[in-house]
Amino acid sequence: MQPDEPLLSVRDLRIAFDGVEAVRGLSFDVRPGEVLALVGESGAGKSLTARALLGMVPRGAVTSGSVTLRGSRDLAAERGRRIALVPQDALAALSPVHPVGDQLAAAVRSVRRVSRAEARARAVAALDRVGIPDAARAARAYPHEYSGGMRQRAVIAMAAVNEPDVLVADEPTTALDEERRDQVLGVLAERREAVGAALVLVTHDMDAVGDHADRVLVMYAGRLTELGPAGDVLARPRAPYTAGLLASLPQHTPPGRRLPALPGTPPAPGALPAGCAFAPRCPLAADVCQETDPEPRRTDGRLVACHRPDDVPSPALALFQETQSA
């Protein structure tokens, strides 16, 4: 693989259920070793896209487009070997009837021809590397005997144990307090760097994006809204939707002012408005926005799907802070 060649390529991905598209023509690349964050409100298609990267959407749901990992489209065959999932719900992801160490050892033997003893040793070492105390003893314990933070560390260990090229983390810090969130993200970053993997991080946590992501892909109604370097997108968003997400963060609101919120709600996949799906909620919407869905175009060093990216002010947060202060 050439240094500039994408590790993972998504091209015009479309996913539909009963004829209703939930992901609509999504294209992006993941480069070797980078962290790409997928952000957006619930229902934007982030987790569904993440599942598609692993070949985990129902048969027939991918209606067009492709996902290619190092030239291979057989994602199911690559899962656990070259690409692995860190799931949102660690308790649901772990079998309640098998010790955690046995589950990690099974993950090792699913892709490596090693003895049971060697697989067991690798499992204990993996638990130790993610900071689980007395890993040999913990390997004999069952998931219900782990704390929430320990379970999340265990699924990170399981995902990384075979040193994949890509880790896909689907909301890995959901339901964790701030301290445990930072610990889990730190462990995930350390394991990713140790095995040299790229990371696709699905998250609502914009602080995590700022701290850990190289690039960010903002999704709305199943489509790309903005894609670019994380620092640039967070500092000066060019899509009104991105500005709205940032404006709703508490740190961007002065003490004593009401916290801004995006007006309205995202449309259901089967009830998209004409034109831009965000137009009914957008303070910059013009006639063209009501008529034509904008295609992503290169703007200010990033991709932006908006008819009026040059009209987004700097700082763009004022777009929504002003509308909420009235």
Side-chain angles (χ1 to χ4, degrees):
M1 174 176 289
Q2 298 299 318
D4 295 335
E5 186 178 347
L7 175 62
L8 184 69
S9 291
V10 178
R11 292 291 178 268
D12 194 31
L13 179 66
R14 294 180 181 273
I15 303 175
F17 299 95
D18 297 324
V20 176
E21 281 195 330
V23 174
R24 305 181 295 134
L26 190 63
S27 296
F28 62 91
D29 293 324
V30 180
R31 302 161 184 162
E34 83 163 337
V35 179
L36 175 68
L38 269 59
V39 304
E41 293 168 286
S42 296
K46 307 183 303 299
S47 292
L48 187 56
T49 298
R51 298 277 164 169
L53 301 182
L54 293 135
M56 294 175 64
V57 296
R59 185 181 299 274
V62 176
T63 58
S64 70
S66 64
V67 180
T68 306
L69 174 64
R70 287 191 180 273
S72 173
R73 295 190 181 184
D74 188 356
L75 301 172
E78 304 292 356
R79 190 165 62 239
R81 183 189 308 270
R82 287 184 168 177
I83 187 167
L85 176 67
V86 179
Q88 179 179 134
D89 188 344
L91 184 59
L94 294 167
S95 168
V97 298
H98 296 97
V100 173
D102 288 359
Q103 296 181 58
L104 266 73
V108 172
R109 298 194 77 204
S110 70
V111 300
R112 297 177 183 273
R113 299 185 65 178
V114 298
S115 67
R116 292 182 184 276
E118 173 64 18
R120 180 76 178 185
R122 287 175 182 256
V124 172
L127 292 174
D128 182 65
R129 284 193 295 265
V130 297
I132 291 181
D134 193 358
R137 182 196 61 78
R140 298 190 293 272
Y142 291 82
H144 72 270
E145 298 177 87
Y146 280 40
S147 68
M150 288 176 64
R151 285 195 293 267
Q152 198 62 51
R153 288 169 182 254
V155 294
I156 292 172
M158 186 177 295
V161 71
N162 289 313
E163 301 185 355
D165 296 324
V166 183
L167 290 168
V168 180
D170 187 6
E171 297 282 3
T173 58
T174 296
L176 298 181
D177 60 35
E178 185 174 354
E179 181 180 358
R180 287 182 176 173
R181 180 204 69 177
D182 291 343
Q183 290 174 352
V184 166
L185 287 173
V187 169
L188 184 58
E190 189 278 328
R191 282 291 83 212
R192 179 192 70 79
E193 292 169 1
V195 301
L199 172 65
V200 179
L201 176 64
V202 178
T203 185
H204 287 88
D205 188 342
M206 299 301 282
D207 287 334
V209 174
D211 292 340
H212 295 279
D214 299 305
R215 292 189 301 147
V216 57
L217 193 165
V218 184
M219 293 185 66
Y220 185 76
R223 292 196 72 196
L224 179 153
T225 293
E226 188 162 2
L227 170 63
D232 295 345
V233 172
L234 298 182
R236 189 175 181 226
R238 300 305 302 270
Y241 177 62
T242 310
L245 289 179
L246 294 172
S248 65
L249 299 178
Q251 61 264 39
H252 291 145
T253 301
R257 285 189 67 178
R258 186 157 59 103
L259 184 67
L262 280 164
T265 58
L272 298 178
C276 175
F278 186 59
R281 308 173 69 191
C282 181
L284 292 181
D287 289 345
V288 66
C289 306
Q290 316 285 349
E291 298 165 357
T292 307
D293 201 3
E295 292 296 326
R297 59 187 173 116
R298 188 70 56 180
T299 301
D300 195 24
R302 69 194 80 169
L303 285 176
V304 182
C306 179
H307 289 299
R308 305 182 62 187
D310 295 331
D311 295 329
V312 178
S314 182
L317 305 181
L319 268 177
F320 291 88
Q321 289 172 336
E322 289 173 0
T323 59
Q324 293 294 306
S325 63

Coordinates of all heavy atoms in Angstrom, one line a residue, residues 127-194:
L127 N -5.9 -8.1 28.3 CA -6.6 -7.5 29.4 C -5.7 -6.6 30.3 O -6.0 -5.5 30.7 CB -7.3 -8.5 30.3 CG -8.5 -9.3 29.7 CD1 -8.9 -10.4 30.6 CD2 -9.6 -8.3 29.4
D128 N -4.5 -7.1 30.4 CA -3.5 -6.4 31.2 C -3.1 -5.1 30.5 O -3.0 -4.0 31.1 CB -2.2 -7.2 31.4 CG -1.1 -6.5 32.2 OD1 -1.4 -6.3 33.4 OD2 -0.1 -6.2 31.6
R129 N -3.0 -5.1 29.2 CA -2.6 -3.9 28.4 C -3.7 -2.8 28.5 O -3.4 -1.6 28.3 CB -2.3 -4.3 27.0 CG -1.0 -5.0 26.7 CD -0.6 -5.0 25.3 NE -1.6 -5.8 24.5 CZ -1.3 -7.1 24.2 NH1 -0.3 -7.7 24.7 NH2 -2.2 -7.8 23.5
V130 N -5.0 -3.1 28.7 CA -6.0 -2.1 28.8 C -6.2 -1.7 30.3 O -7.1 -0.9 30.6 CB -7.3 -2.5 28.2 CG1 -7.2 -2.8 26.7 CG2 -7.9 -3.8 28.9
G131 N -5.3 -2.1 31.1 CA -5.3 -1.6 32.5 C -6.3 -2.3 33.5 O -6.6 -1.7 34.5
I132 N -6.7 -3.5 33.2 CA -7.5 -4.3 34.1 C -6.6 -4.9 35.2 O -5.7 -5.7 34.8 CB -8.4 -5.3 33.3 CG1 -9.4 -4.6 32.5 CG2 -9.1 -6.3 34.3 CD1 -10.3 -5.5 31.7
P133 N -6.9 -4.6 36.4 CA -6.0 -5.1 37.5 C -6.1 -6.7 37.6 O -7.1 -7.3 37.4 CB -6.6 -4.5 38.8 CG -7.4 -3.3 38.3 CD -7.9 -3.7 36.9
D134 N -4.9 -7.3 38.0 CA -4.8 -8.7 38.1 C -5.5 -9.4 37.0 O -6.5 -10.2 37.1 CB -5.4 -9.1 39.5 CG -5.1 -10.5 39.9 OD1 -4.4 -11.2 39.1 OD2 -5.5 -11.0 41.0
A135 N -4.9 -9.2 35.8 CA -5.6 -9.7 34.6 C -5.8 -11.2 34.5 O -6.8 -11.7 34.0 CB -4.7 -9.3 33.4
A136 N -4.9 -12.0 35.1 CA -5.0 -13.4 35.1 C -6.3 -13.8 35.9 O -7.0 -14.7 35.5 CB -3.8 -14.1 35.7
R137 N -6.5 -13.2 37.0 CA -7.7 -13.5 37.8 C -9.0 -12.9 37.1 O -10.0 -13.6 37.0 CB -7.6 -12.8 39.2 CG -8.8 -13.1 40.1 CD -8.9 -12.2 41.3 NE -9.0 -10.8 40.9 CZ -10.2 -10.3 40.5 NH1 -11.3 -11.0 40.4 NH2 -10.2 -9.0 40.1
A138 N -8.9 -11.7 36.6 CA -10.0 -11.1 35.9 C -10.4 -11.9 34.7 O -11.6 -11.9 34.3 CB -9.7 -9.7 35.5
A139 N -9.5 -12.6 34.0 CA -9.8 -13.4 32.8 C -10.7 -14.5 33.2 O -11.5 -15.0 32.3 CB -8.5 -13.9 32.2
R140 N -10.7 -15.0 34.5 CA -11.6 -16.1 34.9 C -13.0 -15.6 35.3 O -13.9 -16.4 35.6 CB -10.9 -16.8 36.0 CG -9.6 -17.5 35.6 CD -9.1 -18.5 36.7 NE -8.8 -17.8 38.0 CZ -7.6 -17.3 38.2 NH1 -6.6 -17.4 37.3 NH2 -7.3 -16.7 39.4
A141 N -13.1 -14.3 35.4 CA -14.4 -13.7 35.9 C -15.4 -13.5 34.8 O -15.0 -13.5 33.6 CB -14.2 -12.3 36.6
Y142 N -16.7 -13.4 35.1 CA -17.7 -13.2 34.1 C -18.1 -11.8 34.0 O -17.8 -11.0 34.9 CB -19.0 -14.0 34.6 CG -18.8 -15.5 34.5 CD1 -18.2 -16.2 35.5 CD2 -19.3 -16.2 33.4 CE1 -18.0 -17.6 35.5 CE2 -19.1 -17.6 33.3 CZ -18.5 -18.3 34.4 OH -18.3 -19.6 34.3
P143 N -18.7 -11.4 32.9 CA -18.9 -10.0 32.6 C -19.7 -9.2 33.7 O -19.4 -8.1 34.0 CB -19.7 -10.0 31.3 CG -19.2 -11.2 30.6 CD -19.0 -12.2 31.7
H144 N -20.6 -9.9 34.4 CA -21.4 -9.3 35.4 C -20.5 -8.9 36.6 O -20.9 -8.1 37.5 CB -22.6 -10.1 35.8 CG -22.3 -11.3 36.6 ND1 -22.0 -12.6 36.0 CD2 -22.1 -11.5 38.0 CE1 -21.7 -13.5 37.0 NE2 -21.8 -12.9 38.1
E145 N -19.4 -9.6 36.7 CA -18.5 -9.3 37.9 C -17.6 -8.1 37.6 O -16.8 -7.6 38.4 CB -17.6 -10.5 38.1 CG -18.4 -11.7 38.6 CD -17.6 -13.0 38.8 OE1 -17.1 -13.1 39.9 OE2 -17.3 -13.7 37.8
Y146 N -17.6 -7.5 36.3 CA -16.8 -6.4 36.0 C -17.7 -5.1 36.2 O -18.9 -5.1 36.1 CB -16.5 -6.4 34.5 CG -15.3 -7.3 34.1 CD1 -15.1 -8.5 34.7 CD2 -14.4 -6.9 33.1 CE1 -14.0 -9.3 34.3 CE2 -13.4 -7.7 32.7 CZ -13.2 -8.9 33.3 OH -12.1 -9.7 33.0
S147 N -17.0 -4.0 36.5 CA -17.7 -2.7 36.5 C -17.9 -2.3 35.0 O -17.4 -2.9 34.1 CB -16.8 -1.7 37.2 OG -15.7 -1.4 36.4
G148 N -18.7 -1.2 34.9 CA -19.0 -0.7 33.5 C -17.8 -0.3 32.8 O -17.6 -0.6 31.6
G149 N -16.9 0.4 33.5 CA -15.6 0.8 32.9 C -14.7 -0.4 32.5 O -14.1 -0.4 31.5
M150 N -14.7 -1.4 33.4 CA -13.9 -2.6 33.1 C -14.5 -3.3 31.9 O -13.7 -3.8 31.0 CB -13.8 -3.5 34.3 CG -13.0 -3.0 35.4 SD -13.0 -4.1 36.9 CE -12.3 -5.6 36.3
R151 N -15.8 -3.4 31.8 CA -16.4 -4.1 30.6 C -16.0 -3.4 29.3 O -15.7 -4.0 28.3 CB -17.9 -4.2 30.8 CG -18.3 -5.2 31.8 CD -19.8 -5.5 31.6 NE -20.6 -4.4 32.0 CZ -21.2 -4.2 33.2 NH1 -20.9 -5.1 34.2 NH2 -21.9 -3.2 33.5
Q152 N -16.0 -2.0 29.4 CA -15.7 -1.3 28.2 C -14.2 -1.5 27.8 O -13.9 -1.6 26.6 CB -16.0 0.2 28.4 CG -16.0 1.0 27.1 CD -17.2 0.5 26.2 OE1 -18.3 0.4 26.6 NE2 -16.9 0.2 24.9
R153 N -13.4 -1.6 28.8 CA -12.0 -1.9 28.5 C -11.8 -3.3 27.9 O -11.0 -3.5 27.1 CB -11.1 -1.8 29.8 CG -10.9 -0.4 30.3 CD -10.3 -0.3 31.7 NE -10.2 1.0 32.2 CZ -9.0 1.6 32.3 NH1 -7.9 1.0 32.0 NH2 -9.0 2.9 32.8
A154 N -12.6 -4.2 28.4 CA -12.5 -5.6 27.9 C -12.9 -5.7 26.4 O -12.3 -6.4 25.7 CB -13.4 -6.5 28.8
V155 N -14.0 -5.0 26.0 CA -14.3 -5.0 24.6 C -13.3 -4.3 23.7 O -13.1 -4.7 22.6 CB -15.8 -4.5 24.4 CG1 -16.8 -5.4 25.0 CG2 -15.9 -3.1 24.8
I156 N -12.6 -3.3 24.3 CA -11.5 -2.7 23.5 C -10.4 -3.7 23.4 O -9.8 -3.8 22.3 CB -11.0 -1.4 24.3 CG1 -12.1 -0.3 24.2 CG2 -9.7 -0.9 23.6 CD1 -11.7 0.9 25.1
A157 N -10.1 -4.4 24.5 CA -9.1 -5.5 24.4 C -9.4 -6.5 23.4 O -8.6 -7.0 22.6 CB -8.9 -6.1 25.8
M158 N -10.7 -6.9 23.3 CA -11.1 -7.9 22.4 C -11.0 -7.4 20.9 O -10.6 -8.2 20.0 CB -12.6 -8.3 22.7 CG -13.1 -9.5 21.8 SD -14.8 -10.0 22.2 CE -14.5 -10.6 23.9
A159 N -11.4 -6.2 20.7 CA -11.3 -5.6 19.4 C -9.8 -5.5 18.9 O -9.5 -5.8 17.7 CB -11.9 -4.3 19.3
A160 N -8.9 -5.2 19.8 CA -7.5 -5.0 19.4 C -6.6 -6.2 19.5 O -5.5 -6.1 19.1 CB -6.9 -3.9 20.3
V161 N -7.1 -7.3 20.1 CA -6.3 -8.4 20.4 C -5.6 -9.0 19.1 O -4.5 -9.5 19.2 CB -7.1 -9.5 21.1 CG1 -8.1 -10.2 20.2 CG2 -6.1 -10.5 21.8
N162 N -6.2 -8.9 18.0 CA -5.7 -9.5 16.7 C -5.0 -8.4 15.9 O -4.7 -8.7 14.7 CB -6.7 -10.2 15.9 CG -7.2 -11.5 16.6 OD1 -6.3 -12.3 17.0 ND2 -8.5 -11.7 16.7
E163 N -4.8 -7.2 16.5 CA -4.0 -6.1 15.8 C -4.6 -5.8 14.4 O -3.9 -5.9 13.4 CB -2.5 -6.5 15.7 CG -1.9 -6.7 17.1 CD -0.4 -6.9 17.0 OE1 0.1 -7.0 15.9 OE2 0.2 -7.1 18.1
P164 N -5.9 -5.4 14.4 CA -6.5 -5.1 13.1 C -6.0 -3.8 12.5 O -5.3 -3.0 13.2 CB -8.0 -4.9 13.5 CG -8.0 -4.4 14.9 CD -6.8 -5.2 15.5
D165 N -6.3 -3.6 11.2 CA -5.9 -2.3 10.6 C -6.8 -1.2 10.9 O -6.4 0.0 10.9 CB -5.9 -2.5 9.0 CG -4.9 -3.5 8.6 OD1 -3.8 -3.6 9.2 OD2 -5.2 -4.3 7.6
V166 N -8.1 -1.5 11.2 CA -9.1 -0.5 11.5 C -9.9 -0.9 12.7 O -10.4 -2.1 12.8 CB -10.1 -0.3 10.3 CG1 -11.1 0.8 10.6 CG2 -9.3 0.0 9.0
L167 N -10.1 0.0 13.7 CA -11.0 -0.2 14.8 C -12.2 0.7 14.5 O -12.0 1.9 14.1 CB -10.4 0.2 16.1 CG -9.3 -0.7 16.6 CD1 -8.5 -0.1 17.8 CD2 -9.9 -2.1 17.1
V168 N -13.4 0.2 14.7 CA -14.6 1.0 14.6 C -15.3 1.0 16.0 O -15.7 0.0 16.5 CB -15.6 0.4 13.6 CG1 -16.9 1.2 13.5 CG2 -14.9 0.3 12.2
A169 N -15.3 2.2 16.6 CA -15.8 2.4 17.9 C -17.2 3.1 17.8 O -17.2 4.3 17.4 CB -14.9 3.2 18.8
D170 N -18.2 2.4 18.2 CA -19.6 2.9 18.1 C -20.0 3.4 19.5 O -20.4 2.7 20.3 CB -20.5 1.8 17.6 CG -21.9 2.4 17.3 OD1 -22.1 3.6 17.4 OD2 -22.8 1.6 17.0
E171 N -19.9 4.8 19.6 CA -20.3 5.4 20.9 C -19.7 4.7 22.1 O -20.4 4.2 23.0 CB -21.9 5.4 21.0 CG -22.6 6.3 20.0 CD -22.5 7.8 20.3 OE1 -21.9 8.1 21.2 OE2 -23.1 8.5 19.5
P172 N -18.4 4.6 22.2 CA -17.8 3.7 23.2 C -17.9 4.3 24.6 O -17.6 3.6 25.6 CB -16.3 3.6 22.8 CG -16.1 4.9 22.0 CD -17.4 5.2 21.3
T173 N -18.3 5.6 24.8 CA -18.3 6.2 26.1 C -19.8 6.5 26.6 O -20.0 7.2 27.6 CB -17.5 7.5 26.1 OG1 -18.1 8.4 25.1 CG2 -16.1 7.2 25.8
T174 N -20.8 5.9 25.9 CA -22.1 6.1 26.3 C -22.4 5.6 27.7 O -21.9 4.5 28.1 CB -23.1 5.4 25.3 OG1 -23.0 6.0 24.0 CG2 -24.5 5.5 25.8
A175 N -23.0 6.4 28.5 CA -23.4 6.1 29.9 C -22.3 6.1 30.9 O -22.4 5.7 32.0 CB -24.2 4.8 29.9
L176 N -21.1 6.5 30.4 CA -20.0 6.6 31.4 C -19.8 8.1 31.9 O -20.1 9.0 31.2 CB -18.7 6.2 30.7 CG -18.6 4.8 30.1 CD1 -17.2 4.6 29.5 CD2 -18.8 3.8 31.2
D177 N -19.4 8.2 33.1 CA -19.2 9.6 33.7 C -17.9 10.1 33.0 O -17.2 9.4 32.3 CB -19.1 9.6 35.2 CG -18.0 8.7 35.7 OD1 -16.9 8.6 35.1 OD2 -18.2 8.1 36.8
E178 N -17.7 11.4 33.3 CA -16.6 12.1 32.6 C -15.2 11.5 32.9 O -14.4 11.3 32.0 CB -16.6 13.6 33.0 CG -15.6 14.4 32.2 CD -15.7 15.9 32.5 OE1 -16.6 16.3 33.3 OE2 -14.8 16.7 32.1
E179 N -15.0 11.1 34.1 CA -13.7 10.5 34.4 C -13.5 9.2 33.7 O -12.5 8.9 33.1 CB -13.6 10.3 36.0 CG -12.3 9.7 36.4 CD -12.2 9.5 37.9 OE1 -13.1 9.8 38.6 OE2 -11.1 8.9 38.3
R180 N -14.5 8.3 33.7 CA -14.4 7.0 33.1 C -14.4 7.2 31.5 O -13.7 6.4 30.8 CB -15.6 6.1 33.5 CG -15.4 5.6 34.9 CD -16.5 4.6 35.3 NE -16.3 4.0 36.6 CZ -17.1 3.3 37.2 NH1 -18.3 3.0 36.7 NH2 -16.9 2.8 38.4
R181 N -15.1 8.2 31.1 CA -15.1 8.5 29.6 C -13.7 8.8 29.2 O -13.2 8.3 28.2 CB -16.0 9.7 29.3 CG -16.0 10.1 27.8 CD -16.4 11.5 27.6 NE -15.3 12.4 28.1 CZ -15.4 13.7 28.0 NH1 -16.4 14.3 27.5 NH2 -14.3 14.4 28.4
D182 N -13.0 9.7 29.9 CA -11.6 10.0 29.6 C -10.7 8.8 29.7 O -9.8 8.7 28.9 CB -11.1 11.2 30.5 CG -11.8 12.5 30.2 OD1 -12.5 12.6 29.1 OD2 -11.8 13.4 31.1
Q183 N -10.9 8.0 30.7 CA -10.1 6.8 30.8 C -10.3 5.9 29.6 O -9.3 5.4 29.1 CB -10.4 6.1 32.1 CG -10.0 6.8 33.4 CD -10.5 6.1 34.6 OE1 -11.3 5.2 34.6 NE2 -10.1 6.6 35.8
V184 N -11.5 5.6 29.3 CA -11.8 4.7 28.1 C -11.2 5.2 26.8 O -10.6 4.5 26.0 CB -13.3 4.4 28.0 CG1 -13.7 3.8 26.7 CG2 -13.8 3.6 29.2
L185 N -11.4 6.5 26.6 CA -10.9 7.1 25.4 C -9.4 7.1 25.4 O -8.7 6.9 24.3 CB -11.3 8.6 25.2 CG -12.8 8.8 24.8 CD1 -13.2 10.2 24.9 CD2 -13.1 8.2 23.4
G186 N -8.7 7.2 26.5 CA -7.3 7.1 26.6 C -6.8 5.7 26.3 O -5.8 5.5 25.6
V187 N -7.5 4.7 26.9 CA -7.2 3.3 26.6 C -7.4 3.0 25.1 O -6.5 2.4 24.5 CB -8.1 2.4 27.4 CG1 -7.9 0.9 27.0 CG2 -7.7 2.5 28.9
L188 N -8.4 3.5 24.5 CA -8.7 3.3 23.1 C -7.6 3.9 22.2 O -7.1 3.3 21.3 CB -10.1 3.8 22.7 CG -10.6 3.6 21.3 CD1 -10.6 2.1 21.0 CD2 -11.9 4.2 21.1
A189 N -7.2 5.1 22.6 CA -6.1 5.8 21.9 C -4.8 5.0 22.0 O -4.1 4.8 21.0 CB -6.0 7.2 22.3
E190 N -4.5 4.5 23.2 CA -3.3 3.8 23.4 C -3.2 2.5 22.7 O -2.2 2.2 22.0 CB -3.1 3.6 24.9 CG -1.7 3.0 25.3 CD -1.6 1.5 25.1 OE1 -2.6 0.8 25.3 OE2 -0.5 1.0 24.8
R191 N -4.3 1.8 22.7 CA -4.4 0.5 22.0 C -4.3 0.7 20.5 O -3.7 0.0 19.7 CB -5.7 -0.3 22.3 CG -5.7 -1.0 23.6 CD -4.7 -2.1 23.7 NE -3.3 -1.7 24.0 CZ -2.2 -2.3 23.5 NH1 -2.3 -3.4 22.7 NH2 -1.0 -1.9 23.8
R192 N -5.0 1.8 20.0 CA -5.0 2.1 18.5 C -3.6 2.4 18.1 O -3.1 1.8 17.1 CB -5.9 3.3 18.2 CG -5.9 3.7 16.8 CD -6.6 5.0 16.6 NE -5.8 6.1 17.1 CZ -4.7 6.7 16.5 NH1 -4.3 6.2 15.4 NH2 -4.1 7.6 17.1
E193 N -2.9 3.2 18.9 CA -1.5 3.6 18.5 C -0.6 2.4 18.6 O 0.4 2.2 17.8 CB -1.0 4.7 19.4 CG -1.8 6.0 19.1 CD -1.5 7.1 20.2 OE1 -0.7 6.8 21.1 OE2 -2.0 8.2 20.1
A194 N -0.8 1.5 19.6 CA 0.1 0.4 19.8 C 0.0 -0.6 18.7 O 1.1 -1.2 18.3 CB -0.3 -0.3 21.1

